[in-house]
Amino acid sequence: MKELIIEMENYAKEKNVPIIEKDSIAFIMKYIKANNIKSVLEIGSAIGYSAILMASSNQETKVTTIERDNERYMECLKNVKKAGMEKKINVVFQDALELNLSDVSYDLIFIDAAKGQYMKFFEKFKYFLAPGGVIITDNLKFHGYVGKSDTIESKNLKSLVEKIESYVEFLKDNEEFETKFYELGDGISVSFKKNESK
């Protein structure tokens, strides 16, 4: 398992595939263990790195992970098989915003896909959160750019960072959810419904 994780980290570095930072995934794995999380929905599989680590943090944890990029989806399937986790991880090849879910709920929803769509992901999938569940979002500092969008020259980058800044504000002002922000990795947030505060 350890070898596979190192292999995946090297692959991500070589191919420039964004994977979660070690501090952030360590935090999530600890959270899964401490709160006995049994079902996880991950939006944005990439090569399966975080799905495999989340599924390995607790014996009973099962992960459904969604990826829309064909190459990454195939790589993710390959890694899940190598990890021997086909029974614990269900990899779905689709755009998360087009996915239709019904009669399912998850203890943890992890948002780590297209940064510009975070708000849409949150609004769509919050209905599938089990009572007492949490929504965790990664990359809220976005390499230190968030909060400094007025100093960015590149139009595309500026627009993306502004969307993340709006999402952070959306979380802070949300009347339905309470969110805690952590200065871990590239910035992470944990949101839970206010009437179910932990």
Side-chain angles (χ1 to χ4, degrees):
M1 180 75 168
K2 204 173 180 184
E3 278 171 22
L4 174 63
I5 295 301
I6 293 167
E7 194 183 300
M8 288 168 80
E9 287 168 355
N10 292 337
Y11 176 94
K13 208 175 278 175
E14 268 168 45
K15 304 267 186 183
N16 210 6
V17 176
I19 56 170
I20 188 166
E21 293 200 18
K22 288 181 179 173
D23 285 0
S24 306
I25 191 65
F27 171 83
I28 295 171
M29 288 168 77
K30 209 168 155 187
Y31 189 92
I32 289 172
K33 238 186 202 140
N35 295 281
N36 198 19
I37 300 286
K38 292 189 173 139
S39 55
V40 177
L41 175 67
E42 176 183 47
I43 300 152
S45 320
I47 56 172
Y49 180 76
S50 41
I52 289 169
L53 285 169
M54 287 191 289
S56 71
S57 17
N58 195 344
Q59 223 174 345
E60 292 175 8
T61 306
K62 289 195 171 173
V63 178
T64 296
T65 183
I66 310 166
E67 179 54 57
R68 66 176 187 184
D69 179 277
N70 187 48
E71 200 180 323
R72 289 182 183 179
Y73 166 73
M74 296 309 287
E75 192 62 29
C76 180
L77 280 180
K78 194 175 88 184
N79 289 325
V80 166
K81 196 171 180 182
K82 269 190 192 169
M85 288 199 175
E86 297 101 319
K87 288 199 169 100
K88 292 192 73 168
I89 300 172
N90 174 25
V91 189
V92 179
F93 178 49
Q94 199 168 8
D95 185 317
L97 292 173
E98 290 166 13
L99 183 71
N100 291 318
L101 291 176
S102 60
D103 300 326
V104 285
S105 66
Y106 299 93
D107 299 328
L108 193 160
I109 296 175
F110 179 46
I111 302 176
D112 190 18
K115 316 284 169 264
Q117 306 286 350
Y118 275 5
M119 217 178 295
K120 285 183 185 168
F121 292 140
F122 192 100
E123 290 289 33
K124 174 173 177 149
F125 291 105
K126 68 180 183 182
Y127 299 104
F128 301 100
L129 198 59
V134 292
I135 298 178
I136 294 183
T137 313
D138 192 28
N139 297 118
L140 293 181
K141 290 197 292 197
F142 199 61
H143 316 301
Y145 286 119
V146 170
K148 300 175 188 161
S149 56
D150 49 352
T151 64
I152 299 169
E153 310 237 322
S154 153
K155 248 189 176 158
N156 289 349
L157 181 60
K158 188 182 176 78
S159 152
L160 182 57
V161 170
E162 282 172 349
K163 281 181 178 164
I164 301 173
E165 288 173 347
S166 303
Y167 178 68
V168 170
E169 287 311 308
F170 157 81
L171 291 179
K172 285 179 180 169
D173 300 337
N174 199 303
E175 292 183 358
E176 203 183 343
F177 283 82
E178 186 179 323
T179 298
K180 289 180 178 165
F181 296 91
Y182 297 89
E183 294 287 320
L184 283 166
D186 201 16
I188 204 165
S189 66
V190 179
S191 310
F192 42 86
K193 282 196 173 166
K194 286 187 174 173
N195 57 355
E196 302 169 349
S197 296
K198 292 202 160 168

